[in-house]
Amino acid sequence: MMYRDFAEIYDTLMTEFDYDKAYDFVNFFVSKAEIIPEKVLEIGCGTGNFTEKLLNFREITAFDLSDEMLSIAYNKIKAGNVKFIKQDMRNFNFMEKFDIVVSICDGINYILKESEVIDIFKNVYLHLNDGGLFIFDLNTEEQFKSFNLSYVDEVNDIFYVWENFYNELDKINLYSINFFVREGDFYRRFYEEHYEKSYRNEFVVKILKEAGFKKINTFNGYEFEENIEYAKRIVYVVEK
């Protein structure tokens, strides 16, 4: 299962993503929302790095499919206004609606079937209050092509060999990772494979509209740059 062993070292290795910048971006649009944003749903919360940035909201529901990631998030954040729940983004179900739904750090790229992405967008629409925002990002084909390499690195007693393979026919990127974690005088080895799929912006916009969303804005990363022609990460700000 993905993120079983990787979960314990995720925060040590995943330092390139700027959670503060992502939060400032999200907060900018939240501050301009037509509704008073109080309830937030986070899809694919992982170890809770972005959840920590959301603590100023009255109520946060954060979910992930990985028990290991959720355990780390739960132990990291003890705030009373956060609920961590195990659910699958492909068919999540809550008996309530939210003002903001967020999914950052390419979580939706892990969904490899177009039909399941369509289902996610429809489900988000059903879980949003009128005037609510859905903010998410996707790695693009440009990103995966730039990843198409191998490298070796060592961080804090963690030695790893990271290989990327992007298939331009099926638009799927494979991350193949061998980890060696120092434990005393020895190294513990484990291996993980992760798959992500690139989706054309035209397809994403089309299925968002079909799901019922009325306003769709796209940006080149979390930079407020609207030219996405060569974007490696597209951020979508969508209003119900």
Side-chain angles (χ1 to χ4, degrees):
M1 181 181 292
M2 290 189 304
Y3 290 117
R4 174 170 294 170
D5 293 301
F6 190 25
E8 65 186 71
I9 61 174
Y10 181 87
D11 289 349
T12 301
L13 297 184
M14 298 294 112
T15 57
E16 293 186 3
F17 189 87
D18 193 333
Y19 291 97
D20 288 322
K21 179 180 287 187
Y23 173 74
D24 290 342
F25 181 95
V26 169
N27 196 48
F28 174 82
F29 288 99
V30 168
S31 68
K32 296 180 177 297
E34 295 180 1
I35 61 174
I36 298 175
E38 295 185 334
K39 298 174 63 176
V40 179
L41 176 66
E42 184 183 6
I43 297 174
C45 64
T47 60
N49 289 327
F50 193 67
T51 317
E52 284 187 302
K53 309 298 180 184
L54 301 172
L55 295 180
N56 60 307
F57 291 100
R58 182 173 64 85
E59 184 179 324
I60 305 131
T61 301
F63 74 86
D64 203 280
L65 188 58
S66 167
D67 290 315
E68 291 76 15
M69 299 288 263
L70 285 170
S71 177
I72 293 170
Y74 180 80
N75 288 318
K76 181 187 296 181
I77 302 172
K78 297 297 185 180
N81 61 332
V82 180
K83 294 184 295 185
F84 288 108
I85 299 173
K86 180 180 180 180
Q87 287 218 35
D88 190 327
M89 72 170 70
R90 293 170 294 185
N91 52 23
F92 66 91
N93 182 37
F94 296 95
M95 302 302 292
E96 58 182 316
K97 291 191 175 185
F98 301 86
D99 305 310
I100 309 293
V101 177
V102 296
S103 180
I104 69 156
C105 214
D106 49 272
I108 295 176
N109 284 109
Y110 278 88
I111 305 304
L112 305 183
K113 295 181 179 179
E114 291 184 354
S115 61
E116 292 179 342
V117 177
I118 292 171
D119 289 341
I120 290 171
F121 290 172
K122 289 179 178 178
N123 206 10
V124 169
Y125 186 87
L126 293 175
H127 281 80
L128 266 177
N129 287 316
D130 290 341
L133 296 180
F134 176 30
I135 302 176
F136 65 98
D137 65 39
L138 288 171
N139 278 336
T140 67
E141 186 168 60
E142 290 286 332
Q143 181 81 293
F144 292 131
K145 286 180 178 179
S146 72
F147 281 165
N148 203 19
L149 49 81
S150 303
Y151 62 93
V152 177
D153 201 357
E154 185 172 9
V155 180
N156 296 342
D157 290 332
I158 302 168
F159 176 83
Y160 61 97
V161 181
W162 191 299
E163 298 178 283
N164 297 278
F165 307 95
Y166 181 62
N167 187 320
E168 295 190 34
L169 293 178
D170 59 19
K171 308 300 183 184
I172 291 178
N173 188 79
L174 164 64
Y175 305 104
S176 171
I177 320 159
N178 274 287
F179 294 100
F180 302 85
V181 180
R182 182 186 290 275
E183 295 180 347
D185 295 329
F186 301 94
Y187 281 89
R188 174 171 59 90
R189 177 188 178 275
F190 64 91
Y191 173 78
E192 293 210 9
E193 289 185 348
H194 295 252
Y195 295 88
E196 292 192 15
K197 183 179 177 70
S198 67
Y199 292 96
R200 292 180 299 105
N201 176 60
E202 294 80 6
F203 169 75
V204 176
V205 171
K206 175 178 177 289
I207 63 176
L208 283 168
K209 290 180 178 178
E210 290 175 349
F213 291 102
K214 59 184 181 180
K215 293 182 181 178
I216 302 168
N217 295 292
T218 55
F219 298 89
N220 186 339
Y222 291 95
E223 302 286 352
F224 299 96
E225 169 60 54
E226 296 184 2
N227 184 354
I228 62 170
E229 183 177 1
Y230 300 107
K232 293 183 176 180
R233 183 189 300 273
I234 297 178
V235 183
Y236 294 82
V237 180
V238 184
E239 181 180 335
K240 178 175 178 178

